[in-house]
Amino acid sequence: MTFSNAETKQSPMVVSFGEMLIDFVPDVSGVSLGDSKGFIKAPGGAPANVACAITKYGGSSAFIGKFGDDEFGHMLVDILKANGVNSDGVCFDKEAMTALAFVSLKKNGEREFMFYRNPSADMLLKESELNMDLIKKSKVFHYGSISLISEPCRSAHFAAMKAAKEAGVLLSYDPNVRLPLWPSPEAAREGINSIWEQADIIKVSDQEVEFLTEGDPEDENNVLSLWFEGLKLLVVTDGEKGCRYFTKNFKGNVKGFSVDTVDTTGAGDAFVGALLFSIAKDSSIFEVEDNLKAALTFANACGALCTAQKGAIPALPNISAVLELISKSETT
């Protein structure tokens, strides 16, 4: 598989479902939220980050979700449009506000979260507000688990998955565990697992493997407890070490890239966006290991470069920078 700077905008569409919010990130790394003297305002929310990543790499994407009919909500939808994301699936709530998250950066670029959504507009999306035509004509329908936490969004999520599955659309799941949003860790495990065996593609981090299995993420037998008959691809991301992959017929790992990390926000979403961009173009990835490894190398590079700047969507790398990083690693 090859990647170029001239990918067609007519490529098969990936529809991303869930939350988009404002991330407030301290302007200085390594301080607590209370000690921070200022914040950088950045658009965020994993499903929206994925949608923007896909268009940044030259693919076609749409976002389905609900926003507050407020300044932040309209600003976020404008950002989707400015990034080339189809916004035909968005709607606004007159009562609830757009969600906010304060994200503190530790000295190593890792994050801590504080959320303001009680309830926020994204939690109030109803089944009747879903753009089913958009879902049914997509190649991949991508979602997380935050939309499973409360009604009515939970029922809308189930209905959207059902419509996609019946239309023959590939289902992509990145649980994106955010424990502060769930009533308890047990509720998070139960909610995340409630839709586990409907997905075709699942991406989890090594930390999420540890949380979901309550076991060692390095133990392959433990990782494979997440596998089920019918799954096409399970990917475990291991930070800068790269990722591991498992399909019905083969398994392996792809090394990562070392960069000067400033902020890990959105790195996993940059990775997922890159992987889904590749899958939407070439579904042979599930059967041809070399094509999968090329797609995961590309995804690893995208994830790595995203950590070199603050924020999620603003830090998404362009495809030329990604290809340059890959090329440099091949010559060293």
Side-chain angles (χ1 to χ4, degrees):
M1 173 178 286
T2 58
F3 298 91
S4 74
N5 290 300
E7 298 296 345
T8 173
K9 287 289 182 184
Q10 300 305 310
S11 56
M13 184 178 289
V14 178
V15 172
S16 204
F17 171 91
E19 71 283 352
M20 188 179 191
L21 62 154
I22 304 285
D23 285 337
F24 287 96
V25 184
D27 54 6
V28 177
S29 297
V31 297
S32 69
L33 292 175
D35 291 336
S36 178
K37 298 191 186 314
F39 295 88
I40 296 168
K41 179 182 67 177
N49 295 343
V50 169
C52 290
I54 289 163
T55 58
K56 189 72 179 266
Y57 309 142
S60 174
S61 72
F63 180 77
I64 292 178
K66 197 171 194 179
F67 299 82
D69 189 11
D70 51 41
E71 288 280 339
F72 283 150
H74 289 281
M75 182 199 90
L76 289 173
V77 174
D78 286 344
I79 287 169
L80 287 175
K81 292 175 181 176
N83 280 274
V85 176
N86 180 313
S87 61
D88 292 347
V90 309
C91 57
F92 293 92
D93 193 290
K94 294 284 186 187
E95 306 298 327
M97 305 290 279
T98 300
L100 307 179
F102 286 82
V103 188
S104 68
L105 301 174
K106 301 177 193 174
K107 292 194 184 299
N108 62 357
E110 286 298 328
R111 301 156 295 162
E112 291 175 333
F113 293 90
M114 183 186 296
F115 294 94
Y116 288 78
R117 54 195 306 268
N118 189 32
S120 53
D122 60 286
M123 302 162 68
L124 301 178
L125 180 68
K126 304 185 190 90
E127 180 179 347
S128 61
E129 295 171 317
L130 293 171
N131 186 331
M132 290 297 194
D133 287 340
L134 199 59
I135 293 168
K136 291 174 183 176
K137 71 182 183 184
S138 62
K139 177 74 178 284
V140 181
F141 181 65
H142 176 71
Y143 47 87
S145 68
I146 289 172
S147 44
L148 298 171
I149 295 173
S150 60
E151 294 290 358
C153 189
R154 186 169 183 266
S155 290
H157 186 143
F158 287 160
M161 284 177 54
K162 184 172 184 287
K165 198 78 168 175
E166 289 175 353
V169 178
L170 290 168
L171 300 189
S172 165
Y173 188 21
D174 177 0
N176 200 44
V177 177
R178 295 287 179 266
L179 288 181
L181 294 177
W182 291 88
S184 67
E186 294 72 29
R189 278 191 205 92
E190 183 180 345
I192 289 165
N193 287 328
S194 69
I195 59 169
W196 192 264
E197 295 196 1
Q198 296 191 51
D200 297 295
I201 305 150
I202 295 176
K203 172 262 170 188
V204 282
S205 69
D206 51 352
Q207 292 173 323
E208 287 166 339
V209 170
E210 183 174 15
F211 170 72
L212 291 169
T213 66
E214 299 181 81
D216 181 3
E218 300 296 324
D219 182 342
E220 187 170 296
N221 289 328
N222 191 46
V223 173
L224 286 173
S225 71
L226 299 173
W227 181 266
F228 59 89
E229 188 63 33
L231 185 61
K232 295 181 186 298
L233 176 63
L234 173 65
V235 177
V236 179
T237 54
D238 292 307
E240 69 174 28
K241 291 188 293 183
C243 64
R244 290 168 276 167
Y245 60 87
F246 304 86
T247 73
K248 186 177 181 180
N249 298 316
F250 47 78
K251 63 185 180 181
N253 64 281
V254 177
K255 70 179 179 68
F257 297 87
S258 183
V259 299
D260 292 331
T261 295
V262 174
D263 175 12
T264 59
T265 305
D269 305 326
F271 177 97
V272 171
L275 179 58
L276 296 183
F277 163 72
S278 299
I279 289 171
K281 287 196 307 169
D282 180 14
S283 55
S284 76
I285 278 171
F286 303 125
E287 285 84 38
V288 182
E289 188 169 10
D290 284 347
N291 289 359
L292 176 59
K293 290 176 81 168
L296 291 172
T297 298
F298 177 71
N300 280 342
C302 291
L305 285 173
C306 188
T307 69
Q309 295 183 55
K310 283 191 173 74
I313 293 171
L316 290 168
N318 61 51
I319 200 165
S320 58
V322 175
L323 297 177
E324 183 181 349
L325 179 63
I326 294 170
S327 177
K328 278 182 181 175
S329 76
E330 289 172 346
T331 57
T332 56

